[in-house]
Amino acid sequence: MGSFFRGIWNTKGQARWILLVGVVITLVFIVFAVLAPWVAPYDFNQTKLDGAKLPKLAPPSGTYWFGTNDQFYDIYSRVVWGARTALEVIVLSLVISIVIGVPLGIASGFIGGWFDRILVFVNDAIYSLPSLLLAIVFSFLLRGPLGGGVTAAALSITAVYIPQYFRVVRNTTVSAREATYVEAARALGAKPFTIMRKYLFGNVVQSVPVLGTLNAADALGTLAALGFLGFGIQPNEASEWGYDLSRALDDAQAGTWWPTLFPGLALILLITALTLVGEGLNETANPALRRRRLRPVVFPRREQDEERTR
Amino acid sequence: MPTKPEPVLDIRDLVVHFQLQGGALSRLLGLGVRTVKAVDGVNLTLARGEVLGVVGESGSGKTTLGRALLGLVATTDGEVVYHDRERGERRVSHMRGRELRQLRTDLQMVFQDPHAALNPSMTIEEAVGHPLVIHGIAKGDELRRRVGEALERVGLAPVERFLSKYPSDLSGGQKQRAVIARAIILDPEVLVADEPVSMLDMSVRAKILQLMLDLKTDLGLTYVYITHDLASAKYFCDRIAIMYLGRVVEVGPTEEVFANPRHPYTKALLKAIPEPDPERMVPRDLPRGEIPDAAVPPLGCSFHPRCPEATSICGWESRDLRALIEEHWTRGSAETYARERDLVGDLEHLDRPDTRPRVGAGGALEVRGLLAEMRAEDPDEPLWLGVDAIDDDGDGVRVSFHPGEDPQLRAAGDVDVACVLYP
């Protein structure tokens, strides 16, 4: 792990700075998400204070930093809670799609034959559908059993990303399967499961982190699109930027800019940050793209030199 | 060699064929499935405690033979029998799954490329100890102790310096030592070494071979040493089996094979060993051409097209005729080629093995004249020995070759050799 970070630090050019900027912005969002209950003045579903409703469409002010919207929500609180929702959905969907996609890809690539054919066919079929359409279909299907919450949204997005991990992992497995060390493992008497777990897994997951960060940005976009179209997380379940944007659209046409600006800005910032992390990781961690930084070697000064300068 | 050899591995009529996939169209229509006869009827017995060298060119099937010994490739026919000290005879070639995995504690392999044979994401400690974990033999402190022992045995000492290293941190020789450590940690009976030193630097080769010899005496191992390098085989082996196109053509004690090679192919291989002294360079009549296609091996003895000592019964056929005609053209001018090309017509059909091929399109007399001219050009060409008759057939001729004989391994002196010269 240490060598991984050293490799990143020793990369030449912008890649390192791209990564750094992305990480810093993402960290800010993570801090807000974690500290949401303390940072946000109101709850995400709170429209009343001491029995009195909050003002409707109040402009940004000292009390309501980002103003309020047409549903009597405090926009600043919604944005902060929205960061928590976004990160929850991203983490959940990534974890589930990696946990399903990676083992499926390894098994498919290693076992081969009809098992592989069928899995590749199914995954290609899923992959060929427009991702948003797929997410909408799944959120419809999941709304019944799971309701309009974070889990349902995360699972709908998961369905989109499983084929991506499956593909990448399956293809690397197919080439790794022919490696001598896999045959050596067989010659040692390892069971197929052991070969997959101990010999293939470690060598094929290396592309997953980069794909994961790139997908994180994409997942956030899909989540917002679902919310914008009304198929995502319901406002009383969690705060979600896409939903807030769609609510604020009419007001924006009337010249009320604050309900759209702040959730939109948050969305764009986080997507950009995650993309920067993904690209930065890709260029620093991938030895084919990475350019090493040359650092001057400084020798300790010799004593005569010191005397001469003196 | 022990006076009364006790067999440890018996290879009986072993055949390994691989299916080739043809072009897109033939695959679509299910046509023309070609098989490569990688190993084509091999009989060998490996005595306990000996070192058997399997020598041959690339494509001779020696690696496939080694893999079949361990059950790593499926055998098409014949069998490999392992004589277990406790359990008696066990048929490796008919084992599956669990039984085969269990057998790995007795039969192990050292691979050609040490850089690829170790999992890049495992430390040396994990990699060398993994066989013990797989077979549930040792864990914890016992595992660590045995890994340390194995590493010390192969000369990776001090052990602490290597335990936590990854394969990428080691040199080629060190990696091969680790691979050997991994193979011997299960305390096997037989070690199949597939060109264990060919990927290593010259300076390291002798050390690794010496290490393997030391391990043999210390652990009572039996080796199958697969190589294309006769020089190292001479140094390393008790017995040598020369393979050509999936068959063993000569097998016998190393000294005898070197001192008195019988099969023309063995002689050719021995001549191909580089001489350290340029003054002593001798004219080498190395085998001409390349190793033939194993999917359609030559008729008769598969070495006959390249053999300098071929006789009339070696299995001459249409493809040899085509090769001869084309070779003749390489010596002539472009005009001769154009004229003779029209004379003999299309040669494609000669690629189908045939002992009575028909050639010519420009008149029987002219074709006959051309063949006579070619014969005069090189009267020593052994192909002409196999020609029984040349008959007129329309505007061409039909060449009748003597039916070939496929020589089997027969005893000749101290060795067994498969050649018509040693009936």
Side-chain angles (χ1 to χ4, degrees):
Chain A
M1 218 49 206
S3 66
F4 176 74
F5 287 117
R6 212 175 318 125
I8 288 175
W9 189 243
N10 284 335
T11 304
K12 189 182 176 184
Q14 323 95 325
R16 199 156 47 104
W17 298 109
I18 289 177
L19 182 65
L20 199 65
V21 170
V23 168
V24 166
I25 301 178
T26 312
L27 277 179
V28 170
F29 273 90
I30 291 175
V31 167
F32 271 93
V34 171
L35 300 180
W38 297 280
V39 174
Y42 302 96
D43 195 31
F44 64 86
N45 198 21
Q46 188 178 4
T47 52
K48 289 177 184 156
L49 186 62
D50 304 330
K53 282 222 158 184
L54 298 182
K56 185 178 181 179
L57 292 175
S61 65
T63 340
Y64 309 109
W65 290 0
F66 292 177
T68 60
N69 71 5
D70 65 334
Q71 286 180 303
F72 309 96
Y73 287 136
D74 173 48
I75 294 175
Y76 173 62
S77 306
R78 288 287 289 182
V79 168
V80 171
W81 282 102
R84 174 175 269 208
T85 313
L87 290 169
E88 273 175 3
V89 170
I90 289 173
V91 169
L92 205 57
S93 66
L94 284 188
V95 166
I96 299 174
S97 39
I98 288 174
V99 163
I100 297 178
V102 171
L104 217 54
I106 294 181
S108 181
F110 180 70
I111 296 169
W114 281 107
F115 181 69
D116 183 44
R117 287 268 169 94
I118 291 169
L119 275 178
V120 167
F121 179 78
V122 168
N123 277 283
D124 277 357
I126 296 176
Y127 196 72
S128 66
L129 293 172
S131 59
L132 187 57
L133 188 69
L134 195 69
I136 291 172
V137 170
F138 268 88
S139 75
F140 256 125
L141 293 174
L142 294 172
R143 180 158 295 182
L146 292 176
V150 169
T151 322
L155 283 179
S156 327
I157 295 170
T158 300
V160 178
Y161 294 111
I162 287 176
Q164 296 198 8
Y165 294 98
F166 172 82
R167 264 186 172 203
V168 169
V169 170
R170 185 239 168 215
N171 290 347
T172 23
T173 307
V174 166
S175 56
R177 183 182 60 176
E178 303 300 328
T180 312
Y181 62 82
V182 173
E183 198 188 6
R186 208 174 287 139
L188 295 177
K191 294 191 198 83
F193 183 72
T194 315
I195 296 177
M196 288 191 255
R197 191 170 55 91
K198 294 285 288 183
Y199 287 83
L200 288 172
F201 180 77
N203 294 304
V204 300
V205 291
Q206 280 151 8
S207 45
V208 167
V210 170
L211 189 61
T213 42
L214 288 173
N215 274 350
D218 205 45
L220 183 55
T222 311
L223 173 71
L226 277 181
F228 189 86
L229 295 171
F231 301 112
I233 297 169
Q234 298 309 302
N236 54 345
E237 293 266 1
S239 163
E240 203 273 304
W241 299 330
Y243 172 83
D244 287 358
L245 276 176
S246 78
R247 287 295 302 192
L249 214 55
D250 293 337
D251 301 322
Q253 277 159 4
T256 317
W257 49 269
W258 56 92
T260 38
L261 180 71
F262 296 109
L265 211 57
L267 189 61
I268 290 171
L269 260 180
L270 186 51
I271 289 185
T272 312
L274 288 172
T275 313
L276 291 180
V277 173
E279 290 294 339
L281 263 189
N282 197 18
E283 280 181 40
T284 48
N286 184 343
L289 294 176
R290 166 169 132 204
R291 287 192 301 158
R292 279 181 169 282
R293 200 150 56 115
L294 295 176
R295 309 176 91 176
V297 178
V298 182
F299 286 102
R301 296 175 71 180
R302 286 185 303 184
E303 280 174 18
Q304 300 123 285
D305 294 348
E306 274 171 29
E307 275 163 22
R308 205 174 303 146
T309 45
R310 214 179 286 151
Chain B
M1 260 181 86
T3 43
K4 195 180 163 205
E6 173 200 359
V8 61
L9 267 182
D10 259 331
I11 308 163
R12 298 174 187 157
D13 299 320
L14 185 71
V15 177
V16 180
H17 288 184
F18 292 118
Q19 300 258 318
L20 280 187
Q21 290 193 318
L25 190 68
S26 62
R27 247 184 297 169
L28 203 63
L29 302 173
L31 295 173
V33 181
R34 304 197 318 151
T35 52
V36 169
K37 295 163 181 156
V39 175
D40 194 18
V42 166
N43 284 289
L44 278 176
T45 301
L46 187 64
R48 206 175 283 281
E50 78 168 337
V51 181
L52 174 70
V54 178
V55 183
E57 283 171 288
S58 323
S60 59
K62 54 191 195 302
T63 297
T64 309
L65 176 69
R67 286 179 185 192
L69 290 184
L70 273 79
L72 285 172
V73 292
T75 49
T76 313
D77 201 11
E79 56 181 12
V80 176
V81 177
Y82 168 57
H83 298 271
D84 196 322
R85 272 191 177 143
E86 284 117 46
R87 304 180 189 206
E89 288 198 1
R90 310 185 66 197
R91 300 211 298 172
V92 179
S93 45
H94 293 69
M95 285 186 186
R96 291 274 173 283
R98 203 186 156 74
E99 204 187 355
L100 192 56
R101 287 199 288 275
Q102 196 278 322
L103 184 82
R104 306 294 189 218
T105 53
D106 286 341
L107 307 182
Q108 268 297 329
M109 184 149 183
V110 173
F111 293 86
Q112 177 177 14
D113 185 358
H115 308 285
L118 289 167
N119 183 351
S121 57
M122 263 188 186
T123 61
I124 296 303
E125 181 178 11
E126 271 181 282
V128 172
H130 204 222
L132 294 175
V133 177
I134 289 172
H135 294 282
I137 294 173
K139 57 184 173 188
D141 287 342
E142 165 77 0
L143 177 66
R144 181 156 307 157
R145 189 183 62 75
R146 288 189 63 171
V147 170
E149 233 174 60
L151 288 179
E152 224 154 68
R153 213 176 252 291
V154 298
L156 288 179
V159 170
E160 295 74 32
R161 252 182 57 205
F162 293 97
L163 286 178
S164 58
K165 289 261 168 71
Y166 282 91
S168 53
D169 304 329
L170 302 186
S171 73
Q174 288 171 332
K175 278 185 222 178
Q176 195 60 298
R177 282 173 195 267
V179 171
I180 293 173
R182 182 177 66 176
I184 61 163
I185 201 165
L186 286 168
D187 203 7
E189 290 283 330
V190 179
L191 204 59
V192 176
D194 183 3
E195 310 214 16
V197 295
S198 70
M199 301 280 281
L200 301 177
D201 287 349
M202 276 299 177
S203 54
V204 187
R205 288 187 182 184
K207 283 188 203 161
I208 295 286
L209 287 180
Q210 189 55 50
L211 168 69
M212 289 178 67
L213 282 179
D214 293 347
L215 290 174
K216 174 184 172 291
T217 36
D218 290 356
L219 304 172
L221 292 169
T222 305
Y223 284 125
V224 177
Y225 177 69
I226 298 168
T227 186
H228 60 255
D229 175 18
L230 264 177
S232 72
K234 184 178 185 178
Y235 165 75
F236 194 62
C237 302
D238 300 323
R239 272 201 311 149
I240 287 187
I242 310 280
M243 277 190 82
Y244 187 76
L245 225 60
R247 299 266 185 99
V248 172
V249 294
E250 182 164 357
V251 55
T254 307
E255 307 85 59
E256 180 65 16
V257 170
F258 272 87
N260 190 6
R262 288 180 171 79
H263 198 282
Y265 181 59
T266 315
K267 290 180 194 164
L269 282 182
L270 287 178
K271 278 180 195 150
I273 299 179
E275 308 266 349
D277 180 4
E279 297 294 311
R280 283 177 50 213
M281 280 278 258
V282 283
R284 295 179 179 154
D285 40 352
L286 297 179
R288 47 189 180 171
E290 292 293 320
I291 195 160
D293 185 1
V296 203
L299 300 182
C301 167
S302 29
F303 187 60
H304 83 257
R306 305 172 67 189
C307 184
E309 300 177 39
T311 66
S312 59
I313 54 165
C314 284
W316 297 102
E317 44 142 325
S318 52
R319 282 173 292 173
D320 304 320
L321 185 63
R322 177 177 183 168
L324 191 70
I325 295 173
E326 281 172 349
E327 199 194 316
H328 163 73
W329 284 339
T330 60
R331 288 193 293 263
S333 64
E335 295 83 54
T336 337
Y337 167 65
R339 184 166 47 76
E340 294 179 358
R341 167 95 234 171
D342 295 335
L343 195 60
V344 295
D346 190 29
L347 289 178
E348 289 300 321
H349 68 279
L350 292 180
D351 276 347
R352 265 195 321 277
D354 185 5
T355 50
R356 295 196 65 231
R358 197 195 158 279
V359 282
L365 201 65
E366 284 82 356
V367 178
R368 198 186 276 273
L370 173 64
L371 290 180
E373 183 193 325
M374 279 163 55
R375 185 166 190 167
E377 223 171 65
D378 184 10
D380 294 335
E381 166 59 46
L383 174 122
W384 302 113
L385 296 173
V387 177
D388 277 348
I390 301 177
D391 305 309
D392 292 357
D393 185 351
D395 50 3
V397 295
R398 190 169 288 278
V399 183
S400 303
F401 288 108
H402 197 82
E405 189 185 306
D406 190 2
Q408 301 301 312
L409 265 184
R410 286 174 293 237
D414 289 338
V415 302
D416 288 333
V417 62
C419 180
V420 293
L421 297 173
Y422 298 91

Coordinates of all heavy atoms in Angstrom, one line a residue, chain B residues 372-421:
Chain B
A372 N 13.9 -36.3 -64.9 CA 15.2 -36.8 -65.1 C 16.3 -35.8 -64.9 O 17.4 -36.0 -64.3 CB 15.3 -37.4 -66.5
E373 N 16.0 -34.6 -65.4 CA 16.9 -33.5 -65.2 C 17.1 -33.1 -63.8 O 18.3 -32.9 -63.3 CB 16.3 -32.2 -65.9 CG 17.2 -31.0 -66.0 CD 16.4 -29.8 -66.4 OE1 15.5 -29.9 -67.3 OE2 16.6 -28.7 -65.8
M374 N 16.1 -33.2 -63.0 CA 16.2 -32.9 -61.6 C 17.0 -34.0 -60.9 O 17.8 -33.7 -60.0 CB 14.8 -32.9 -60.9 CG 14.1 -31.5 -61.1 SD 12.3 -31.6 -60.8 CE 12.3 -32.3 -59.2
R375 N 16.8 -35.2 -61.3 CA 17.6 -36.3 -60.7 C 19.1 -36.2 -61.0 O 19.9 -36.4 -60.2 CB 17.0 -37.6 -61.3 CG 17.7 -38.8 -60.6 CD 16.9 -40.1 -60.9 NE 17.4 -41.1 -60.0 CZ 16.8 -42.3 -59.9 NH1 15.7 -42.5 -60.5 NH2 17.3 -43.2 -59.1
A376 N 19.3 -35.7 -62.3 CA 20.7 -35.6 -62.7 C 21.4 -34.4 -61.9 O 22.6 -34.5 -61.6 CB 20.8 -35.3 -64.2
E377 N 20.6 -33.4 -61.6 CA 21.1 -32.3 -60.8 C 21.6 -32.7 -59.4 O 22.6 -32.2 -59.0 CB 19.9 -31.3 -60.6 CG 20.2 -29.9 -60.8 CD 18.9 -29.1 -60.8 OE1 18.3 -29.0 -59.7 OE2 18.5 -28.5 -61.8
D378 N 20.9 -33.6 -58.8 CA 21.3 -34.1 -57.5 C 21.0 -35.6 -57.3 O 20.0 -36.0 -56.8 CB 20.4 -33.3 -56.4 CG 20.9 -33.6 -55.0 OD1 21.9 -34.3 -54.9 OD2 20.2 -33.2 -54.1
P379 N 21.9 -36.4 -57.8 CA 21.6 -37.8 -57.9 C 21.6 -38.4 -56.5 O 21.1 -39.5 -56.3 CB 22.8 -38.4 -58.7 CG 23.8 -37.3 -58.8 CD 23.2 -36.0 -58.4
D380 N 22.2 -37.7 -55.5 CA 22.2 -38.3 -54.1 C 20.9 -38.1 -53.4 O 20.8 -38.6 -52.3 CB 23.4 -37.7 -53.3 CG 24.7 -38.1 -54.0 OD1 24.8 -39.1 -54.6 OD2 25.7 -37.3 -53.8
E381 N 20.0 -37.3 -53.9 CA 18.8 -37.1 -53.2 C 18.1 -38.4 -52.9 O 17.8 -39.2 -53.8 CB 17.9 -36.2 -54.2 CG 16.4 -36.1 -53.8 CD 16.2 -35.5 -52.4 OE1 16.9 -34.5 -52.1 OE2 15.5 -36.1 -51.6
P382 N 17.8 -38.6 -51.6 CA 17.3 -39.9 -51.2 C 15.9 -40.2 -51.7 O 15.5 -41.4 -51.8 CB 17.3 -39.9 -49.7 CG 17.5 -38.5 -49.3 CD 18.2 -37.8 -50.4
L383 N 15.2 -39.2 -52.1 CA 13.8 -39.4 -52.6 C 13.8 -40.4 -53.8 O 12.9 -41.2 -53.8 CB 13.2 -38.1 -53.1 CG 11.8 -38.2 -53.7 CD1 10.8 -37.3 -52.9 CD2 11.8 -37.8 -55.2
W384 N 14.8 -40.3 -54.7 CA 14.8 -41.2 -55.8 C 14.9 -42.7 -55.5 O 14.4 -43.5 -56.2 CB 15.9 -40.8 -56.8 CG 15.8 -39.3 -57.2 CD1 16.6 -38.3 -56.9 CD2 14.7 -38.8 -58.0 NE1 16.2 -37.1 -57.4 CE2 15.0 -37.4 -58.1 CE3 13.6 -39.3 -58.6 CZ2 14.2 -36.5 -58.8 CZ3 12.7 -38.4 -59.3 CH2 13.0 -37.0 -59.3
L385 N 15.5 -42.9 -54.3 CA 15.5 -44.3 -53.9 C 14.2 -44.9 -53.7 O 13.9 -46.1 -53.9 CB 16.3 -44.4 -52.5 CG 17.8 -44.0 -52.5 CD1 18.3 -44.0 -51.1 CD2 18.6 -44.9 -53.4
G386 N 13.2 -44.0 -53.3 CA 11.9 -44.5 -53.0 C 11.0 -44.6 -54.2 O 9.8 -45.1 -54.1
V387 N 11.5 -44.2 -55.4 CA 10.6 -44.2 -56.6 C 10.7 -45.6 -57.2 O 11.7 -46.1 -57.6 CB 11.1 -43.1 -57.6 CG1 10.2 -43.2 -58.8 CG2 11.0 -41.7 -57.0
D388 N 9.5 -46.2 -57.3 CA 9.4 -47.6 -57.9 C 9.3 -47.4 -59.4 O 10.0 -48.2 -60.1 CB 8.2 -48.3 -57.3 CG 8.6 -49.0 -56.0 OD1 9.8 -49.0 -55.7 OD2 7.6 -49.5 -55.3
A389 N 8.4 -46.6 -59.8 CA 8.2 -46.5 -61.3 C 7.6 -45.1 -61.6 O 7.0 -44.5 -60.7 CB 7.2 -47.5 -61.7
I390 N 7.8 -44.7 -62.8 CA 7.2 -43.4 -63.3 C 6.4 -43.8 -64.6 O 7.0 -44.2 -65.6 CB 8.2 -42.3 -63.6 CG1 9.0 -42.0 -62.4 CG2 7.5 -41.1 -64.2 CD1 10.1 -41.0 -62.6
D391 N 5.1 -43.8 -64.5 CA 4.3 -44.2 -65.7 C 3.6 -43.0 -66.3 O 3.3 -42.0 -65.6 CB 3.2 -45.2 -65.2 CG 3.8 -46.4 -64.4 OD1 4.7 -47.0 -65.0 OD2 3.3 -46.6 -63.3
D392 N 3.4 -43.1 -67.6 CA 2.7 -42.1 -68.3 C 1.2 -42.1 -67.9 O 0.6 -43.2 -67.7 CB 2.7 -42.3 -69.8 CG 4.2 -42.1 -70.3 OD1 5.0 -41.7 -69.5 OD2 4.4 -42.3 -71.5
D393 N 0.6 -40.9 -67.8 CA -0.8 -40.8 -67.4 C -1.3 -39.6 -68.0 O -1.1 -38.5 -67.5 CB -0.9 -40.8 -65.8 CG -2.3 -40.8 -65.4 OD1 -3.2 -40.7 -66.2 OD2 -2.6 -40.9 -64.2
G394 N -2.0 -39.7 -69.2 CA -2.5 -38.6 -69.9 C -1.3 -37.7 -70.3 O -0.3 -38.1 -70.8
D395 N -1.4 -36.3 -70.0 CA -0.3 -35.4 -70.4 C 0.6 -35.2 -69.2 O 1.3 -34.2 -69.1 CB -0.9 -34.1 -71.0 CG -1.9 -33.5 -70.1 OD1 -2.2 -34.1 -69.0 OD2 -2.5 -32.5 -70.4
G396 N 0.6 -36.1 -68.3 CA 1.5 -36.0 -67.2 C 2.0 -37.4 -66.8 O 1.9 -38.4 -67.6
V397 N 2.7 -37.6 -65.6 CA 3.1 -38.9 -65.3 C 2.6 -39.2 -63.9 O 2.2 -38.3 -63.1 CB 4.7 -39.0 -65.2 CG1 5.2 -38.8 -66.6 CG2 5.2 -37.9 -64.2
R398 N 2.6 -40.5 -63.6 CA 2.2 -40.9 -62.2 C 3.4 -41.5 -61.6 O 4.1 -42.4 -62.1 CB 1.1 -42.0 -62.3 CG 0.5 -42.3 -61.0 CD -0.8 -43.1 -61.1 NE -1.9 -42.3 -61.6 CZ -2.7 -41.5 -60.8 NH1 -2.4 -41.4 -59.5 NH2 -3.7 -40.8 -61.3
V399 N 3.8 -41.0 -60.5 CA 5.0 -41.4 -59.8 C 4.6 -42.4 -58.7 O 3.8 -42.1 -57.8 CB 5.8 -40.3 -59.1 CG1 7.1 -40.8 -58.5 CG2 6.1 -39.2 -60.2
S400 N 5.1 -43.6 -58.8 CA 4.8 -44.6 -57.7 C 5.9 -44.7 -56.8 O 7.1 -45.1 -57.1 CB 4.5 -46.0 -58.4 OG 3.5 -45.9 -59.3
F401 N 5.6 -44.4 -55.5 CA 6.6 -44.6 -54.5 C 6.6 -45.9 -53.8 O 5.5 -46.5 -53.7 CB 6.5 -43.5 -53.4 CG 6.9 -42.1 -53.9 CD1 5.9 -41.1 -54.2 CD2 8.2 -41.8 -54.1 CE1 6.2 -39.9 -54.6 CE2 8.5 -40.5 -54.6 CZ 7.6 -39.6 -54.8
H402 N 7.7 -46.3 -53.3 CA 7.7 -47.6 -52.5 C 6.9 -47.4 -51.2 O 7.1 -46.3 -50.6 CB 9.2 -47.9 -52.2 CG 9.3 -49.3 -51.8 ND1 9.4 -50.4 -52.7 CD2 9.4 -49.9 -50.6 CE1 9.6 -51.5 -52.0 NE2 9.6 -51.2 -50.8
P403 N 6.0 -48.3 -50.8 CA 5.3 -48.1 -49.6 C 6.2 -48.0 -48.4 O 7.2 -48.7 -48.3 CB 4.5 -49.4 -49.5 CG 4.5 -50.1 -50.8 CD 5.7 -49.6 -51.5
G404 N 5.9 -47.0 -47.6 CA 6.8 -46.7 -46.4 C 6.6 -47.6 -45.3 O 5.5 -48.3 -45.2
E405 N 7.6 -47.6 -44.4 CA 7.4 -48.5 -43.2 C 7.5 -47.5 -42.0 O 8.4 -46.6 -42.0 CB 8.6 -49.5 -43.2 CG 8.4 -50.5 -42.1 CD 9.6 -51.4 -42.0 OE1 10.0 -52.0 -43.0 OE2 10.2 -51.5 -40.9
D406 N 6.6 -47.7 -41.1 CA 6.7 -46.8 -39.9 C 7.5 -47.6 -38.8 O 7.0 -48.5 -38.2 CB 5.2 -46.6 -39.4 CG 5.2 -45.5 -38.3 OD1 6.2 -45.0 -38.0 OD2 4.1 -45.2 -37.8
P407 N 8.7 -47.2 -38.6 CA 9.5 -47.9 -37.7 C 9.1 -47.8 -36.2 O 8.8 -46.7 -35.7 CB 10.9 -47.3 -37.9 CG 10.7 -46.0 -38.3 CD 9.4 -46.0 -39.1
Q408 N 9.1 -48.9 -35.5 CA 8.8 -48.9 -34.1 C 10.1 -48.9 -33.3 O 11.2 -49.2 -33.8 CB 8.0 -50.2 -33.7 CG 6.7 -50.3 -34.5 CD 5.8 -49.1 -34.2 OE1 5.6 -48.7 -33.1 NE2 5.2 -48.5 -35.3
L409 N 10.0 -48.6 -32.0 CA 11.2 -48.7 -31.1 C 11.7 -50.1 -31.0 O 10.9 -51.0 -30.6 CB 10.9 -48.1 -29.7 CG 11.1 -46.7 -29.4 CD1 10.8 -46.4 -28.0 CD2 12.5 -46.3 -29.8
R410 N 12.9 -50.3 -31.4 CA 13.5 -51.7 -31.3 C 14.8 -51.6 -30.7 O 15.5 -50.6 -30.8 CB 13.6 -52.3 -32.7 CG 12.3 -52.7 -33.3 CD 12.5 -53.1 -34.8 NE 12.9 -52.0 -35.6 CZ 12.2 -51.6 -36.7 NH1 11.1 -52.3 -37.1 NH2 12.6 -50.6 -37.4
A411 N 15.2 -52.7 -30.0 CA 16.4 -52.7 -29.3 C 17.6 -52.8 -30.3 O 17.5 -53.5 -31.3 CB 16.5 -53.9 -28.4
A412 N 18.6 -51.9 -30.1 CA 19.8 -52.0 -30.9 C 20.9 -51.7 -30.0 O 21.1 -50.6 -29.6 CB 19.7 -50.9 -32.0
G413 N 21.7 -52.7 -29.6 CA 22.7 -52.5 -28.7 C 22.1 -52.2 -27.3 O 21.1 -52.9 -26.9
D414 N 22.6 -51.2 -26.6 CA 22.1 -50.8 -25.3 C 20.9 -49.9 -25.4 O 20.3 -49.5 -24.4 CB 23.2 -50.1 -24.5 CG 24.3 -51.1 -24.1 OD1 23.9 -52.3 -24.0 OD2 25.4 -50.7 -23.8
V415 N 20.6 -49.4 -26.6 CA 19.5 -48.4 -26.7 C 18.4 -49.0 -27.5 O 18.5 -50.1 -28.1 CB 20.0 -47.1 -27.4 CG1 21.2 -46.6 -26.6 CG2 20.4 -47.4 -28.8
D416 N 17.2 -48.3 -27.4 CA 16.1 -48.6 -28.3 C 16.0 -47.5 -29.3 O 16.1 -46.3 -29.0 CB 14.8 -48.6 -27.5 CG 14.7 -49.8 -26.6 OD1 15.3 -50.8 -27.0 OD2 14.1 -49.7 -25.5
V417 N 15.8 -47.9 -30.6 CA 15.8 -46.9 -31.6 C 14.7 -47.2 -32.6 O 14.4 -48.3 -32.9 CB 17.2 -46.7 -32.3 CG1 17.6 -48.0 -33.0 CG2 17.2 -45.6 -33.3
A418 N 14.0 -46.1 -33.1 CA 13.0 -46.3 -34.1 C 13.5 -45.8 -35.4 O 13.3 -44.7 -35.7 CB 11.7 -45.5 -33.6
C419 N 14.1 -46.7 -36.2 CA 14.6 -46.4 -37.5 C 14.7 -47.6 -38.3 O 15.1 -48.7 -37.8 CB 16.0 -45.7 -37.4 SG 16.7 -45.2 -38.9
V420 N 14.4 -47.5 -39.6 CA 14.5 -48.7 -40.5 C 15.9 -49.2 -40.6 O 16.1 -50.4 -41.0 CB 13.9 -48.4 -41.9 CG1 12.4 -48.1 -41.7 CG2 14.6 -47.2 -42.5
L421 N 16.9 -48.4 -40.3 CA 18.3 -48.8 -40.4 C 18.6 -49.9 -39.3 O 19.6 -50.6 -39.4 CB 19.2 -47.7 -40.3 CG 19.1 -46.6 -41.4 CD1 20.0 -45.4 -41.1 CD2 19.5 -47.3 -42.8

